[in-house]
Amino acid sequence: MDLPKDDEELVKLVVSGEIPSYSLESKLGDCFKAAKIRREAVQKLTGRSVEGLPLDGFDYDSILGQCCEMPVGYVQIPVGIAGPLLLNGCEYSVPMATTEGCLVASTNRGCKAIYASGGATCVLLRDGMTRAPVVRFATAKRATELKFFLEDPLNFDTLSVVFNKSSRFARLQGIQCAIAGKNLYIRFSCSTGDAMGMNMVSKGVQNVLDFLQSDFPDMDVIGISGNFCSDKKPAAVNWIEGRGKSVVCEAIINGDIVTKVLKTTVPALVELNMLKNLTGSAIAGALGGFNAHAANIVSAIFIATGQDPAQNIESSHCITMMEAVNDGKDLHVSVTMPSIEVGTVGGGTQLASQSACLNLLGVKGANKESPGSNSQLLATIVAGSVLAGELSLMSAIAAGQLVKSHMKYNRSSRDITKIGS
């Protein structure tokens, strides 16, 4: 089809279905114009306006084939800065993309308390992304034969060579199997450099499945993911075994700082943490949710730095602990987070705004000298920020200030009846 140069004619062709909306970029060779034409077509098809959704000022070429299909604009989310966060002897200004009033201010207050008390310490426990395909056999006995084969240490080196061909950064760490009748779930774990690593580990898994087919020709691969991974869902396997980066972060907050900065007391915080984060979460049947609001901080940093927001689900698994130390005068606080899934290359990290936020933290791109260290550092910063957020919110609740703060910072004074639709 010879495309008309007139925008209105192009819109009509999209509305009529003569030009598929998804093909505009390839047909026009202009990503911005494609978004513009698609936007107008959507408004005509739905009879509803998207006025207020920005179109100009975005590099649509940068998302083609990577981040978002069929764009019609972009959403603006304000980015605030919390900090400095003093973590492992270094200071970080933490970017947080959010529309929740109080969140940045509260995290900032937690950072202030941590800084005034000498800083926080964070340790990386594990680093391994997972993927778990599900395969089926004619009998359970045959499925167990593959299970024993995969878990035999004598076969690991061979499987590693096959797996690691997928990438120069992928390194197989372990294989864990689970049986359900004649179905076998195989959880592969591997290091992925500075990438979050989902695609990398999936390619490695496919290599191994292809390799196994020769010795197990009766193996029926049902799916590359069988949910034993487990991605973007709350799951005990991530809470117990870890996925992505597993970290623990701690700080000792001086009693005077608890009183002056956090406006509460050490005994009040310890009691509240026990009854809210531990007992209350247990009564609720929480899975990985033994914290006050870890997901708030994780989501805000994820959006600012181009992470997959849906992975906030398992990345926010966190248990917050508080204990009086030094004869009860000071507070020991910690957060243990077994499955922070972050990367500093790939996905949304390469977009201009998100890349700028990563650069602010000093973790932009891949670390050539020490592959994987940038993404590992980002995970520790996330945990340190969660520690600050937990400290501040728990203090606000203990001091009875939560509602007052939100009434002040999280409510608009604008008369919405006078705002045009």
PDB file of all heavy atoms in Angstrom, residues 214-244:
ATOM      1  N   SER A 214      18.075 -35.784  23.998  1.00  0.00           N
ATOM      2  CA  SER A 214      18.718 -36.958  23.391  1.00  0.00           C
ATOM      3  C   SER A 214      18.693 -38.158  24.334  1.00  0.00           C
ATOM      4  O   SER A 214      18.477 -39.297  23.904  1.00  0.00           O
ATOM      5  CB  SER A 214      20.162 -36.626  23.002  1.00  0.00           C
ATOM      6  OG  SER A 214      20.906 -36.210  24.135  1.00  0.00           O
ATOM      7  N   ASP A 215      18.944 -37.934  25.633  1.00  0.00           N
ATOM      8  CA  ASP A 215      18.927 -39.024  26.611  1.00  0.00           C
ATOM      9  C   ASP A 215      17.526 -39.306  27.148  1.00  0.00           C
ATOM     10  O   ASP A 215      17.256 -40.405  27.646  1.00  0.00           O
ATOM     11  CB  ASP A 215      19.852 -38.708  27.785  1.00  0.00           C
ATOM     12  CG  ASP A 215      21.318 -38.808  27.414  1.00  0.00           C
ATOM     13  OD1 ASP A 215      21.631 -39.600  26.498  1.00  0.00           O
ATOM     14  OD2 ASP A 215      22.135 -38.093  28.013  1.00  0.00           O
ATOM     15  N   PHE A 216      16.647 -38.308  27.042  1.00  0.00           N
ATOM     16  CA  PHE A 216      15.271 -38.468  27.512  1.00  0.00           C
ATOM     17  C   PHE A 216      14.310 -38.052  26.390  1.00  0.00           C
ATOM     18  O   PHE A 216      13.615 -37.033  26.494  1.00  0.00           O
ATOM     19  CB  PHE A 216      15.026 -37.615  28.768  1.00  0.00           C
ATOM     20  CG  PHE A 216      15.836 -38.036  29.955  1.00  0.00           C
ATOM     21  CD1 PHE A 216      17.125 -37.543  30.156  1.00  0.00           C
ATOM     22  CD2 PHE A 216      15.330 -38.938  30.887  1.00  0.00           C
ATOM     23  CE1 PHE A 216      17.879 -37.929  31.252  1.00  0.00           C
ATOM     24  CE2 PHE A 216      16.078 -39.335  31.988  1.00  0.00           C
ATOM     25  CZ  PHE A 216      17.361 -38.839  32.172  1.00  0.00           C
ATOM     26  N   PRO A 217      14.279 -38.834  25.314  1.00  0.00           N
ATOM     27  CA  PRO A 217      13.449 -38.477  24.156  1.00  0.00           C
ATOM     28  C   PRO A 217      11.953 -38.486  24.467  1.00  0.00           C
ATOM     29  O   PRO A 217      11.163 -37.878  23.737  1.00  0.00           O
ATOM     30  CB  PRO A 217      13.799 -39.553  23.120  1.00  0.00           C
ATOM     31  CG  PRO A 217      14.310 -40.705  23.919  1.00  0.00           C
ATOM     32  CD  PRO A 217      15.004 -40.100  25.097  1.00  0.00           C
ATOM     33  N   ASP A 218      11.562 -39.156  25.535  1.00  0.00           N
ATOM     34  CA  ASP A 218      10.152 -39.206  25.921  1.00  0.00           C
ATOM     35  C   ASP A 218       9.744 -38.025  26.799  1.00  0.00           C
ATOM     36  O   ASP A 218       8.604 -37.951  27.272  1.00  0.00           O
ATOM     37  CB  ASP A 218       9.855 -40.513  26.655  1.00  0.00           C
ATOM     38  CG  ASP A 218      10.806 -40.767  27.821  1.00  0.00           C
ATOM     39  OD1 ASP A 218      11.940 -40.238  27.797  1.00  0.00           O
ATOM     40  OD2 ASP A 218      10.419 -41.503  28.749  1.00  0.00           O
ATOM     41  N   MET A 219      10.670 -37.088  27.028  1.00  0.00           N
ATOM     42  CA  MET A 219      10.377 -35.901  27.830  1.00  0.00           C
ATOM     43  C   MET A 219       9.536 -34.923  27.020  1.00  0.00           C
ATOM     44  O   MET A 219       9.922 -34.514  25.929  1.00  0.00           O
ATOM     45  CB  MET A 219      11.683 -35.226  28.275  1.00  0.00           C
ATOM     46  CG  MET A 219      11.486 -33.966  29.096  1.00  0.00           C
ATOM     47  SD  MET A 219      13.058 -33.193  29.580  1.00  0.00           S
ATOM     48  CE  MET A 219      13.653 -32.571  27.987  1.00  0.00           C
ATOM     49  N   ASP A 220       8.402 -34.541  27.565  1.00  0.00           N
ATOM     50  CA  ASP A 220       7.513 -33.579  26.915  1.00  0.00           C
ATOM     51  C   ASP A 220       7.634 -32.244  27.649  1.00  0.00           C
ATOM     52  O   ASP A 220       7.228 -32.131  28.812  1.00  0.00           O
ATOM     53  CB  ASP A 220       6.072 -34.095  26.970  1.00  0.00           C
ATOM     54  CG  ASP A 220       5.093 -33.186  26.240  1.00  0.00           C
ATOM     55  OD1 ASP A 220       5.555 -32.272  25.524  1.00  0.00           O
ATOM     56  OD2 ASP A 220       3.870 -33.375  26.402  1.00  0.00           O
ATOM     57  N   VAL A 221       8.213 -31.259  26.991  1.00  0.00           N
ATOM     58  CA  VAL A 221       8.373 -29.941  27.603  1.00  0.00           C
ATOM     59  C   VAL A 221       7.045 -29.203  27.525  1.00  0.00           C
ATOM     60  O   VAL A 221       6.613 -28.766  26.451  1.00  0.00           O
ATOM     61  CB  VAL A 221       9.483 -29.130  26.903  1.00  0.00           C
ATOM     62  CG1 VAL A 221       9.598 -27.743  27.554  1.00  0.00           C
ATOM     63  CG2 VAL A 221      10.811 -29.869  26.976  1.00  0.00           C
ATOM     64  N   ILE A 222       6.409 -29.026  28.654  1.00  0.00           N
ATOM     65  CA  ILE A 222       5.102 -28.363  28.700  1.00  0.00           C
ATOM     66  C   ILE A 222       5.249 -26.844  28.648  1.00  0.00           C
ATOM     67  O   ILE A 222       4.491 -26.156  27.977  1.00  0.00           O
ATOM     68  CB  ILE A 222       4.328 -28.762  29.974  1.00  0.00           C
ATOM     69  CG1 ILE A 222       4.177 -30.286  30.035  1.00  0.00           C
ATOM     70  CG2 ILE A 222       2.968 -28.085  30.022  1.00  0.00           C
ATOM     71  CD1 ILE A 222       3.428 -30.879  28.862  1.00  0.00           C
ATOM     72  N   GLY A 223       6.257 -26.314  29.352  1.00  0.00           N
ATOM     73  CA  GLY A 223       6.462 -24.868  29.351  1.00  0.00           C
ATOM     74  C   GLY A 223       7.819 -24.504  29.905  1.00  0.00           C
ATOM     75  O   GLY A 223       8.325 -25.168  30.818  1.00  0.00           O
ATOM     76  N   ILE A 224       8.402 -23.453  29.352  1.00  0.00           N
ATOM     77  CA  ILE A 224       9.713 -22.992  29.817  1.00  0.00           C
ATOM     78  C   ILE A 224       9.621 -22.463  31.252  1.00  0.00           C
ATOM     79  O   ILE A 224      10.603 -22.429  31.978  1.00  0.00           O
ATOM     80  CB  ILE A 224      10.279 -21.910  28.870  1.00  0.00           C
ATOM     81  CG1 ILE A 224      11.741 -21.577  29.194  1.00  0.00           C
ATOM     82  CG2 ILE A 224       9.432 -20.651  28.928  1.00  0.00           C
ATOM     83  CD1 ILE A 224      12.715 -22.661  28.840  1.00  0.00           C
ATOM     84  N   SER A 225       8.413 -22.056  31.663  1.00  0.00           N
ATOM     85  CA  SER A 225       8.191 -21.645  33.048  1.00  0.00           C
ATOM     86  C   SER A 225       7.023 -22.422  33.618  1.00  0.00           C
ATOM     87  O   SER A 225       5.927 -22.409  33.055  1.00  0.00           O
ATOM     88  CB  SER A 225       7.894 -20.144  33.144  1.00  0.00           C
ATOM     89  OG  SER A 225       7.540 -19.800  34.474  1.00  0.00           O
ATOM     90  N   GLY A 226       7.267 -23.082  34.741  1.00  0.00           N
ATOM     91  CA  GLY A 226       6.217 -23.852  35.401  1.00  0.00           C
ATOM     92  C   GLY A 226       5.818 -23.264  36.740  1.00  0.00           C
ATOM     93  O   GLY A 226       5.196 -23.933  37.565  1.00  0.00           O
ATOM     94  N   ASN A 227       6.221 -21.993  36.992  1.00  0.00           N
ATOM     95  CA  ASN A 227       5.869 -21.246  38.216  1.00  0.00           C
ATOM     96  C   ASN A 227       6.596 -21.713  39.480  1.00  0.00           C
ATOM     97  O   ASN A 227       6.281 -21.246  40.569  1.00  0.00           O
ATOM     98  CB  ASN A 227       4.362 -21.258  38.471  1.00  0.00           C
ATOM     99  CG  ASN A 227       3.644 -20.173  37.706  1.00  0.00           C
ATOM    100  OD1 ASN A 227       4.230 -19.516  36.846  1.00  0.00           O
ATOM    101  ND2 ASN A 227       2.373 -19.972  38.012  1.00  0.00           N
ATOM    102  N   PHE A 228       7.556 -22.617  39.330  1.00  0.00           N
ATOM    103  CA  PHE A 228       8.399 -22.975  40.469  1.00  0.00           C
ATOM    104  C   PHE A 228       9.606 -22.033  40.506  1.00  0.00           C
ATOM    105  O   PHE A 228      10.493 -22.200  41.325  1.00  0.00           O
ATOM    106  CB  PHE A 228       8.826 -24.452  40.340  1.00  0.00           C
ATOM    107  CG  PHE A 228       9.600 -25.014  41.511  1.00  0.00           C
ATOM    108  CD1 PHE A 228       9.243 -24.728  42.811  1.00  0.00           C
ATOM    109  CD2 PHE A 228      10.681 -25.863  41.301  1.00  0.00           C
ATOM    110  CE1 PHE A 228       9.947 -25.258  43.880  1.00  0.00           C
ATOM    111  CE2 PHE A 228      11.397 -26.399  42.352  1.00  0.00           C
ATOM    112  CZ  PHE A 228      11.025 -26.099  43.644  1.00  0.00           C
ATOM    113  N   CYS A 229       9.596 -21.007  39.647  1.00  0.00           N
ATOM    114  CA  CYS A 229      10.746 -20.077  39.538  1.00  0.00           C
ATOM    115  C   CYS A 229      10.953 -19.249  40.824  1.00  0.00           C
ATOM    116  O   CYS A 229      12.056 -19.274  41.340  1.00  0.00           O
ATOM    117  CB  CYS A 229      10.590 -19.150  38.332  1.00  0.00           C
ATOM    118  SG  CYS A 229      10.111 -19.993  36.809  1.00  0.00           S
ATOM    119  N   SER A 230      10.039 -18.445  41.328  1.00  0.00           N
ATOM    120  CA  SER A 230       8.720 -18.082  40.821  1.00  0.00           C
ATOM    121  C   SER A 230       8.743 -16.584  40.548  1.00  0.00           C
ATOM    122  O   SER A 230       9.191 -15.812  41.396  1.00  0.00           O
ATOM    123  CB  SER A 230       7.654 -18.446  41.855  1.00  0.00           C
ATOM    124  OG  SER A 230       6.386 -18.043  41.439  1.00  0.00           O
ATOM    125  N   ASP A 231       8.237 -16.163  39.389  1.00  0.00           N
ATOM    126  CA  ASP A 231       8.370 -14.781  38.950  1.00  0.00           C
ATOM    127  C   ASP A 231       7.057 -14.014  39.090  1.00  0.00           C
ATOM    128  O   ASP A 231       6.006 -14.485  38.650  1.00  0.00           O
ATOM    129  CB  ASP A 231       8.816 -14.769  37.479  1.00  0.00           C
ATOM    130  CG  ASP A 231       9.166 -13.385  36.985  1.00  0.00           C
ATOM    131  OD1 ASP A 231       9.848 -12.659  37.727  1.00  0.00           O
ATOM    132  OD2 ASP A 231       8.766 -13.023  35.866  1.00  0.00           O
ATOM    133  N   LYS A 232       7.117 -12.846  39.726  1.00  0.00           N
ATOM    134  CA  LYS A 232       5.987 -11.904  39.806  1.00  0.00           C
ATOM    135  C   LYS A 232       4.780 -12.474  40.537  1.00  0.00           C
ATOM    136  O   LYS A 232       3.643 -12.141  40.221  1.00  0.00           O
ATOM    137  CB  LYS A 232       5.601 -11.424  38.404  1.00  0.00           C
ATOM    138  CG  LYS A 232       6.751 -10.713  37.692  1.00  0.00           C
ATOM    139  CD  LYS A 232       6.447 -10.383  36.256  1.00  0.00           C
ATOM    140  CE  LYS A 232       7.694  -9.786  35.595  1.00  0.00           C
ATOM    141  NZ  LYS A 232       7.519  -9.554  34.166  1.00  0.00           N
ATOM    142  N   LYS A 233       5.050 -13.352  41.495  1.00  0.00           N
ATOM    143  CA  LYS A 233       4.003 -13.919  42.342  1.00  0.00           C
ATOM    144  C   LYS A 233       4.587 -14.155  43.734  1.00  0.00           C
ATOM    145  O   LYS A 233       5.752 -14.521  43.848  1.00  0.00           O
ATOM    146  CB  LYS A 233       3.512 -15.261  41.767  1.00  0.00           C
ATOM    147  CG  LYS A 233       2.736 -15.143  40.464  1.00  0.00           C
ATOM    148  CD  LYS A 233       2.608 -16.460  39.747  1.00  0.00           C
ATOM    149  CE  LYS A 233       3.902 -16.859  39.051  1.00  0.00           C
ATOM    150  NZ  LYS A 233       4.229 -16.006  37.889  1.00  0.00           N
ATOM    151  N   PRO A 234       3.774 -13.964  44.770  1.00  0.00           N
ATOM    152  CA  PRO A 234       4.279 -14.306  46.110  1.00  0.00           C
ATOM    153  C   PRO A 234       4.444 -15.805  46.216  1.00  0.00           C
ATOM    154  O   PRO A 234       3.519 -16.562  45.903  1.00  0.00           O
ATOM    155  CB  PRO A 234       3.173 -13.779  47.044  1.00  0.00           C
ATOM    156  CG  PRO A 234       1.945 -13.731  46.195  1.00  0.00           C
ATOM    157  CD  PRO A 234       2.401 -13.427  44.803  1.00  0.00           C
ATOM    158  N   ALA A 235       5.620 -16.266  46.611  1.00  0.00           N
ATOM    159  CA  ALA A 235       5.881 -17.712  46.662  1.00  0.00           C
ATOM    160  C   ALA A 235       6.886 -18.022  47.762  1.00  0.00           C
ATOM    161  O   ALA A 235       7.884 -17.322  47.927  1.00  0.00           O
ATOM    162  CB  ALA A 235       6.410 -18.203  45.319  1.00  0.00           C
ATOM    163  N   ALA A 236       6.606 -19.099  48.482  1.00  0.00           N
ATOM    164  CA  ALA A 236       7.483 -19.497  49.581  1.00  0.00           C
ATOM    165  C   ALA A 236       8.874 -19.860  49.094  1.00  0.00           C
ATOM    166  O   ALA A 236       9.863 -19.688  49.813  1.00  0.00           O
ATOM    167  CB  ALA A 236       6.864 -20.669  50.346  1.00  0.00           C
ATOM    168  N   VAL A 237       8.984 -20.371  47.853  1.00  0.00           N
ATOM    169  CA  VAL A 237      10.292 -20.788  47.353  1.00  0.00           C
ATOM    170  C   VAL A 237      11.255 -19.597  47.271  1.00  0.00           C
ATOM    171  O   VAL A 237      12.451 -19.729  47.556  1.00  0.00           O
ATOM    172  CB  VAL A 237      10.168 -21.503  45.982  1.00  0.00           C
ATOM    173  CG1 VAL A 237       9.765 -20.535  44.873  1.00  0.00           C
ATOM    174  CG2 VAL A 237      11.465 -22.226  45.628  1.00  0.00           C
ATOM    175  N   ASN A 238      10.747 -18.425  46.910  1.00  0.00           N
ATOM    176  CA  ASN A 238      11.600 -17.229  46.876  1.00  0.00           C
ATOM    177  C   ASN A 238      11.929 -16.748  48.284  1.00  0.00           C
ATOM    178  O   ASN A 238      13.033 -16.278  48.555  1.00  0.00           O
ATOM    179  CB  ASN A 238      10.911 -16.107  46.101  1.00  0.00           C
ATOM    180  CG  ASN A 238      10.746 -16.429  44.635  1.00  0.00           C
ATOM    181  OD1 ASN A 238      11.498 -17.213  44.075  1.00  0.00           O
ATOM    182  ND2 ASN A 238       9.754 -15.837  44.003  1.00  0.00           N
ATOM    183  N   TRP A 239      10.946 -16.835  49.180  1.00  0.00           N
ATOM    184  CA  TRP A 239      11.131 -16.411  50.564  1.00  0.00           C
ATOM    185  C   TRP A 239      12.181 -17.277  51.268  1.00  0.00           C
ATOM    186  O   TRP A 239      12.986 -16.778  52.059  1.00  0.00           O
ATOM    187  CB  TRP A 239       9.789 -16.506  51.280  1.00  0.00           C
ATOM    188  CG  TRP A 239       9.759 -16.166  52.734  1.00  0.00           C
ATOM    189  CD1 TRP A 239       9.363 -16.981  53.752  1.00  0.00           C
ATOM    190  CD2 TRP A 239      10.125 -14.923  53.355  1.00  0.00           C
ATOM    191  NE1 TRP A 239       9.457 -16.337  54.964  1.00  0.00           N
ATOM    192  CE2 TRP A 239       9.918 -15.060  54.746  1.00  0.00           C
ATOM    193  CE3 TRP A 239      10.612 -13.711  52.876  1.00  0.00           C
ATOM    194  CZ2 TRP A 239      10.175 -14.047  55.653  1.00  0.00           C
ATOM    195  CZ3 TRP A 239      10.864 -12.685  53.793  1.00  0.00           C
ATOM    196  CH2 TRP A 239      10.650 -12.861  55.147  1.00  0.00           C
ATOM    197  N   ILE A 240      12.205 -18.570  50.931  1.00  0.00           N
ATOM    198  CA  ILE A 240      13.120 -19.501  51.602  1.00  0.00           C
ATOM    199  C   ILE A 240      14.448 -19.640  50.855  1.00  0.00           C
ATOM    200  O   ILE A 240      15.528 -19.557  51.455  1.00  0.00           O
ATOM    201  CB  ILE A 240      12.456 -20.881  51.742  1.00  0.00           C
ATOM    202  CG1 ILE A 240      11.223 -20.783  52.642  1.00  0.00           C
ATOM    203  CG2 ILE A 240      13.443 -21.904  52.316  1.00  0.00           C
ATOM    204  CD1 ILE A 240      10.360 -22.025  52.643  1.00  0.00           C
ATOM    205  N   GLU A 241      14.388 -19.851  49.544  1.00  0.00           N
ATOM    206  CA  GLU A 241      15.590 -20.135  48.761  1.00  0.00           C
ATOM    207  C   GLU A 241      16.245 -18.873  48.187  1.00  0.00           C
ATOM    208  O   GLU A 241      17.429 -18.875  47.860  1.00  0.00           O
ATOM    209  CB  GLU A 241      15.256 -21.086  47.607  1.00  0.00           C
ATOM    210  CG  GLU A 241      14.721 -22.442  48.044  1.00  0.00           C
ATOM    211  CD  GLU A 241      15.783 -23.282  48.727  1.00  0.00           C
ATOM    212  OE1 GLU A 241      16.984 -22.996  48.534  1.00  0.00           O
ATOM    213  OE2 GLU A 241      15.407 -24.217  49.459  1.00  0.00           O
ATOM    214  N   GLY A 242      15.456 -17.807  48.033  1.00  0.00           N
ATOM    215  CA  GLY A 242      15.983 -16.579  47.443  1.00  0.00           C
ATOM    216  C   GLY A 242      15.865 -16.574  45.932  1.00  0.00           C
ATOM    217  O   GLY A 242      15.786 -17.626  45.284  1.00  0.00           O
ATOM    218  N   ARG A 243      15.808 -15.378  45.364  1.00  0.00           N
ATOM    219  CA  ARG A 243      15.790 -15.207  43.908  1.00  0.00           C
ATOM    220  C   ARG A 243      16.343 -13.821  43.615  1.00  0.00           C
ATOM    221  O   ARG A 243      15.973 -12.851  44.263  1.00  0.00           O
ATOM    222  CB  ARG A 243      14.369 -15.343  43.361  1.00  0.00           C
ATOM    223  CG  ARG A 243      14.283 -15.350  41.838  1.00  0.00           C
ATOM    224  CD  ARG A 243      12.865 -15.676  41.387  1.00  0.00           C
ATOM    225  NE  ARG A 243      12.834 -16.054  39.976  1.00  0.00           N
ATOM    226  CZ  ARG A 243      12.378 -15.277  39.005  1.00  0.00           C
ATOM    227  NH1 ARG A 243      11.902 -14.080  39.275  1.00  0.00           N
ATOM    228  NH2 ARG A 243      12.385 -15.698  37.749  1.00  0.00           N
ATOM    229  N   GLY A 244      17.215 -13.710  42.633  1.00  0.00           N
ATOM    230  CA  GLY A 244      17.873 -12.429  42.416  1.00  0.00           C
ATOM    231  C   GLY A 244      18.917 -12.212  43.499  1.00  0.00           C
ATOM    232  O   GLY A 244      19.721 -13.103  43.800  1.00  0.00           O
TER     233      GLY A 244
END
